[in-house]
Amino acid sequence: MKIALIAHDRKKDDLVQFAIAYSDILAQHDLYATGTTGTRIQEATGLAIQLFRSGPLGGDQQIGAMIANNDMDMVFFFRDPLTAQPHEPDVTALVRLCDVYHIPLATNMGTAEILLKGLQEGLVDWRLIAERRK
């Protein structure tokens, strides 16, 4: 499966710790991330990650394009709900695309853990069905 990893500045440490804890599961999938977040995860885990631009510089939109093309299966976007984001319209668009295309989305560690454990148990294999990818 193709999994996107994104985090606002104040949530990057949380996503790095999450990736460390679940690196064995994440290593079995194709990983994509926005620039700084992906670099930090790579350095901490050694996971292979395709890096996009940072979120404010278009990385969120690059991942959004993959979602719109039905080429992304799951998104972990650790959002900071207490800090205004200068690229909030991009964030909103990414979340909307996940809803439009039925992409599982975790915006916090609790939901991310449930999605990842569900992935491990085969509970989101419906994303692998060829007809869903059209």
Side-chain angles (χ1 to χ4, degrees), residues 84-134:
Q85 302 298 324
H87 63 294
E88 190 62 35
D90 298 335
V91 172
T92 302
L94 185 66
V95 171
R96 184 181 60 78
L97 285 170
C98 287
D99 288 340
V100 168
Y101 291 100
H102 311 291
I103 304 301
L105 167 68
T107 60
N108 61 65
M109 194 174 302
T111 306
E113 186 171 36
I114 290 168
L115 281 182
L116 204 56
K117 289 188 180 242
L119 178 62
Q120 184 180 29
E121 295 296 319
L123 300 177
V124 289
D125 285 352
W126 60 271
R127 284 290 307 159
L128 299 175
I129 299 170
E131 295 81 34
R132 300 290 305 172
R133 307 271 293 141
K134 293 180 183 177

Side-chain angles (χ1 to χ4, degrees), residues 6-132:
I6 311 164
H8 285 147
D9 288 345
R10 290 188 176 182
K11 298 296 180 176
K12 288 187 190 319
D13 289 341
D14 290 345
L15 187 54
V16 169
Q17 291 303 312
F18 179 81
I20 290 169
Y22 292 104
S23 61
D24 56 327
I25 299 171
L26 292 170
Q28 300 170 31
H29 302 278
D30 297 324
L31 304 177
Y32 301 81
T34 50
T36 307
T37 301
T39 300
R40 289 195 49 198
I41 293 169
Q42 279 182 322
E43 290 171 354
T45 64
L47 290 168
I49 302 173
Q50 180 174 330
L51 300 176
F52 291 118
R53 297 177 188 263
S54 76
L57 298 179
D60 296 340
Q61 291 179 339
Q62 289 176 293
I63 290 173
M66 288 185 73
I67 293 168
N69 288 316
N70 205 19
D71 199 27
M72 184 63 67
D73 298 301
M74 188 173 286
V75 176
F76 296 111
F77 189 168
F78 285 20
R79 298 175 63 200
D80 179 0
L82 302 178
T83 304
Q85 302 298 324
H87 63 294
E88 190 62 35
D90 298 335
V91 172
T92 302
L94 185 66
V95 171
R96 184 181 60 78
L97 285 170
C98 287
D99 288 340
V100 168
Y101 291 100
H102 311 291
I103 304 301
L105 167 68
T107 60
N108 61 65
M109 194 174 302
T111 306
E113 186 171 36
I114 290 168
L115 281 182
L116 204 56
K117 289 188 180 242
L119 178 62
Q120 184 180 29
E121 295 296 319
L123 300 177
V124 289
D125 285 352
W126 60 271
R127 284 290 307 159
L128 299 175
I129 299 170
E131 295 81 34
R132 300 290 305 172

